Amino acid sequence: MKNTDPAFDGLTPWPPALIEHYRRNGIWGEANLTQWLETKLLCRQQDTVLSGPGFAATPWQVLSGGELLQQIKRLAFGLADIGLSRGDRVVLQMGNSNAFIVTLFALLELGVIPVMALPGHRRREIEHFVRLTNARAWLASEGEAGMDFQALGNQLRHAIPELEHIIIDTTDAGPHLTLASLLKDNISNEKLPGHFVDPAGIALLLCSGGTTGLPKLIPRTHRDYLYNAAASAGVCELGPSDCYLVALPAAHNFPLACPGLLGALNSGASIVMCPSPSPETAFEYIARAGVTVTALVPPLVRVWLEYASKMGPPPNSLRLLQVGGARLDMGTARRIRPELGCALQQVFGMAEGLLNYTRSSDPDLLIQGTQGHPLSPLDEIRIVNADGEDVPRGKQGELWTRGPYTLRGYYKADEVNRRSFTEDGYYRSGDLVRQLSSGHLVVEGRLREVIRRGAETVSVEALEALLAQLDAIRDVAVIGLPCEQLGEQVCAVLVLDEATPKPTLSEVRAFLTEEGIARFMLPDRLEFVDQLPLTAVGKIARQQLITHIQQSRQQTNTQGILIS
Ligand code: AMP
């Protein structure tokens, strides 16, 4: 019989035998996120649980467990008053603040499914999320550089009249609602619908890094995501004396649940929301709250190291720095302990599920030189060649995985699902890895073309398709060039019709902005060639092109590029 509960709409379930297996092994619990949250906050009524900027970016605000729960309920009742109810989807696009946490849990209290958009997303992505999920509201916070959220709200309203509510966390939202105006004063003790949702249903939708086109949505169920966070907190040895700094955008799986803010809540640790990952801000927040653990992507680690070499290391409360999202080079890894004064943990994971961690008991060589091994004893991995056959241990192949917190299908994406999953439910990650005899994985590349720019993944294919629409373009290739600050920067290489005037970088960026693409996808550099080098099978010879561009141009200084 078809399940008509909207929390199962778009969810590809695990097979019944595995569901039984994960439950019997105690991997999956019986609580949903709302029940879990209330239990966690009620036993910390008086303790500090959360610090950071409040609603509408008001300065530092410290909340106890009791105060946080009160705010969550006040907002949940306010959101219910405007008509949001169980099973609805809402696109949530907020920066790092206490309001992010209040809003996320207020939506969950109502049984509403948040779509976790990133601050860097723009009209194209937001429209896609709203349409795909039939979202009833877009909930955003102001403060993202170069972004007019009111104007985006107007565009969305015009483009999608069915989008009922546009809510912005700011003091003046123009024609739209401000988030704080929805905090209801008089609330009852009535249990909201989120208490009664099935833990097997979708709790939230995460965005995929996206190797092709628009980001896909990843359904995460209550019980798989709670396991994800709790087990991660275990390998990070988080406890009540810890304080976790959310430095990366909180809607990313890494700071959200690996162990992130959910893992911190699960362990009785406190959370600090940091509005920017820059060392200037983060070091101040670390000092202010006695932060012990945080997570960064490799380019930011290099920015922190640079800053520390001039201004001194971060406050010595910091005991653990998790690094993941892109490959960390050994040279940078070695500098972390002596120069930042804390231990390193490498994390290789994906919003789709599988997480790998180095453990504190691993020898330094493995912590610095590998990306860890799977979180769960029930994670299954295969490393395969192009024919889908397992490669011998130590040899490179594509990583396939399935397990208790790895999705079985993207949200409403049948076509993509046919390509991305094997018949027996393995997710084809597209990552090229090697497994050492210790079981640790070393990530060596990607099967499909993406650029890792800071914390974000730029789809080469999607950007090339948009650039091909420019006037007088004969051919286009998008390549990633090595960059100290960002890891890789985005370079668009154009082949123009003869006698066509060359567009400037700002013209190209303006065109793409008009198309509404994410800010982090805008090219950092523009190059022109007479023709693109091709491989024997007629594909763009990207490596050859990268070498050619690097040789013909001296690397420009990337100082000042914002890591979004
Ligand atoms: P996302 O789902 O946006 O976090 O992106 C996941 C992808 O980021 C993975 O499939 C990898 O390609 C890449 N990735 C994540 N962590 C690492 C790491 N530690 N080393 C190398 N690549 C990584």
Side-chain angles (χ1 to χ4, degrees), residues 120-127 145-148 151-152 155 462-463 466-467 469-470 504-524:
H121 285 142
R122 291 295 179 263
R123 195 191 73 228
R124 220 167 139 260
E125 290 87 8
I126 301 297
E127 268 195 43
M147 176 69 186
D148 182 344
L152 177 53
Q155 288 173 349
L463 195 49
L466 282 170
L467 285 166
Q469 296 171 28
L470 275 168
T504 62
L505 178 61
S506 19
E507 283 164 353
V508 171
R509 288 170 68 106
F511 163 77
L512 293 168
T513 305
E514 191 58 30
E515 290 293 308
I517 66 163
R519 185 164 64 93
F520 55 77
M521 284 180 71
L522 296 176
D524 302 296

Side-chain angles (χ1 to χ4, degrees), residues 207-210 218 252-254 323-328 346-352 371 427 429-431 443 445-446 450 452 455 457:
C207 297
S208 74
I218 299 163
H252 259 288
N253 185 43
F254 193 10
V323 183
R327 174 76 190 267
L328 178 67
Q346 293 214 42
V347 185
F348 159 45
M350 48 207 78
E352 282 80 357
Q371 282 64 59
Y427 166 60
S429 75
D431 289 320
V443 184
R446 292 252 344 141
V450 289
R452 295 295 287 184
T457 311

Side-chain angles (χ1 to χ4, degrees), residues 6-64:
F8 289 83
D9 184 28
L11 176 70
T12 309
W14 280 263
L18 277 180
I19 295 178
E20 212 19 59
H21 185 49
Y22 297 151
R23 288 176 69 183
R24 237 187 342 201
N25 281 277
I27 298 273
W28 283 350
E30 300 300 327
N32 64 40
L33 271 157
T34 300
Q35 294 163 337
W36 163 85
L37 177 81
E38 292 216 3
T39 315
K40 293 290 167 189
L41 293 185
L42 285 173
C43 56
R44 297 171 68 194
Q45 297 248 32
Q46 313 299 330
D47 306 339
T48 296
V49 167
L50 177 63
S51 320
F55 280 82
T58 47
W60 192 256
Q61 175 203 48
V62 179
L63 295 175
S64 68

